[in-house]
Amino acid sequence: MNGSLRTGSLWHGSLWLAWRQQRVLVGVGAAALATAAAIAAYNRSGMLDALHSGLFDHCGTGPLYCTQSDTGEPLLLDIEPLKYLGTLNIVLPVIIGVFWGAPLLGRDRELGTHRMVLAQGVSRGRWFASRMALAAVTTVAVSGVLAGLFAWWWQPAADRSYGLFWYENTALSGSGPSVVAAALFGLAAGTLLGLLARRVLAAMGLTLLVTGATTLLLQWTHRTRLLVPPHTYTSAGSIPKPPMDEKWSTGHYGLITASDRHDDVMNCPFPSSAQLKECMAQHGYVARFYEANPASDYWTFQWTDTALLGGLALLLTAVTMLLLRRRV
């Protein structure tokens, strides 16, 4: 080992050591992917069989439930396993941060084994880079495949009353490139906290709090539309409003005056009828409105989250590199 780390194979020696330390986690990730792929293939096949049976042929798009003609019961596909995969993708940064990021540098630092590696002529930067590179590549692979499996499984039932709409939490946060960015953020946060904390268990606890809080905060920004504002849809006079279809409503409906003042819908709580027309005329309302995000905003949410979480991952990694000289 001494010779291999001091010679031209120095870089390969560092990577080999990183592989020795992380190969169990890589194996667990590979096993998890194989299991998820098998479950997705089995359940998607059942979903396609149900759709090809003709039972859903009369169902249109949009949020209104489609019912069985004989019983009047809503027609729904079995999408609970799909939601479980979406939930796994949402908590993936917590899992990776706690069980991979926190021990990545923290274990060697707690046990003091990093001193032996550094004594062989390996720089702090290379010691960190070899470990982080393997962990990051595996994180990208695992999170990317899981996000792809969700999208593939979801596609036949996407944005249907009997399936899963794009704005539901497990679809919006459990699919797309944001899953990869979130996983990398979890890894970077855990790695930094593992370097800062004196004990790996303490680092794991702190990582759980940080990544869990960040995940919940991101869900809150989705619900409040803080980062992706809704669109306003209007209809002149008392004619029916534009259909909701696949839009994600904020629940904010109302009426508009000639001076463009927006009032609550309860000022004229009537459906499209003579009563509504009369009420609007009495109060000076000339149009109606509602606020919602169209289906195309799925990608706006995705790229916004990806930029935010990816940026945080890069920032935390840079901070870790700057602190290496002081902490190791």
Side-chain angles (χ1 to χ4, degrees):
M1 176 177 174
N2 192 347
S4 65
L5 289 180
R6 288 181 181 276
T7 64
S9 62
L10 181 63
W11 175 251
H12 300 288
S14 297
L15 281 176
W16 177 85
L17 189 57
W19 164 251
R20 292 274 298 179
Q21 292 180 324
Q22 300 180 54
R23 58 185 176 179
V24 173
L25 290 172
V26 174
V28 170
L33 288 183
T35 303
I39 293 173
Y42 175 79
N43 283 278
R44 189 179 189 273
S45 177
M47 178 186 292
L48 291 175
D49 288 342
L51 290 173
H52 293 158
S53 69
L55 188 62
F56 297 87
D57 288 354
H58 66 289
C59 299
T61 60
L64 297 179
Y65 279 118
C66 183
T67 59
Q68 300 182 46
S69 56
D70 53 347
T71 64
E73 293 292 324
L75 279 172
L76 298 171
L77 289 169
D78 182 16
I79 57 171
E80 287 306 309
L82 175 62
K83 289 184 175 181
Y84 293 148
L85 177 58
T87 301
L88 171 63
N89 289 350
I90 291 172
V91 301
L92 196 59
V94 180
I95 296 172
I96 289 178
V98 170
F99 295 105
W100 202 319
L104 190 65
L105 303 182
R107 181 70 67 192
D108 277 352
R109 187 165 181 269
E110 179 179 344
L111 299 177
T113 51
H114 64 287
R115 296 189 183 93
M116 178 184 67
V117 177
L118 297 178
Q120 304 301 311
V122 178
S123 68
R124 290 175 175 83
R126 185 163 292 175
W127 173 70
F128 168 70
S130 60
R131 279 152 182 73
M132 193 65 177
L134 179 59
V137 168
T138 308
T139 295
V140 170
V142 170
S143 58
V145 171
L146 288 177
L149 281 174
F150 184 95
W152 176 68
W153 184 354
W154 175 39
Q155 184 273 328
D159 301 331
R160 296 293 186 269
S161 62
Y162 48 80
L164 188 69
F165 280 90
W166 67 270
Y167 50 77
E168 295 185 53
N169 195 38
T170 49
L172 185 58
S173 298
S175 65
S178 65
V179 175
V180 179
L184 287 172
F185 162 74
L187 177 66
T191 302
L192 176 58
L193 291 170
L195 179 65
L196 294 174
R198 292 181 176 274
R199 296 287 183 269
V200 172
L201 283 178
M204 294 172 77
L206 289 172
T207 303
L208 176 63
L209 289 176
V210 170
T211 54
T214 302
T215 299
L216 293 176
L217 181 61
L218 200 62
Q219 310 309 311
W220 176 79
T221 66
H222 292 169
R223 292 192 302 271
T224 60
R225 323 300 163 90
L226 180 66
L227 302 178
V228 184
H231 300 226
T232 300
Y233 297 86
T234 62
S235 58
S238 58
I239 64 174
K241 301 186 296 295
M244 186 65 67
D245 293 330
E246 299 169 9
K247 302 183 189 75
W248 183 16
S249 173
T250 64
H252 187 199
Y253 301 82
L255 302 137
I256 307 173
T257 65
S259 61
D260 201 36
R261 188 182 75 240
H262 289 53
D263 289 346
D264 191 87
V265 70
M266 295 310 294
N267 287 355
C268 288
F270 305 106
S272 300
S273 64
Q275 284 180 304
L276 174 62
K277 198 170 185 178
E278 180 181 354
C279 180
M280 289 181 67
Q282 289 176 351
H283 292 82
Y285 295 125
V286 297
R288 295 191 290 168
F289 77 92
Y290 68 81
E291 294 180 352
N293 291 90
S296 59
D297 273 356
Y298 167 82
W299 287 108
T300 307
F301 278 103
Q302 281 292 319
W303 293 121
T304 300
D305 291 352
T306 300
L308 178 63
L309 293 168
L312 284 174
L314 289 174
L315 176 62
L316 295 178
T317 302
V319 172
T320 302
M321 294 177 66
L322 290 174
L323 291 176
L324 275 174
R325 290 188 175 276
R326 295 185 179 181
R327 293 280 175 171
V328 176

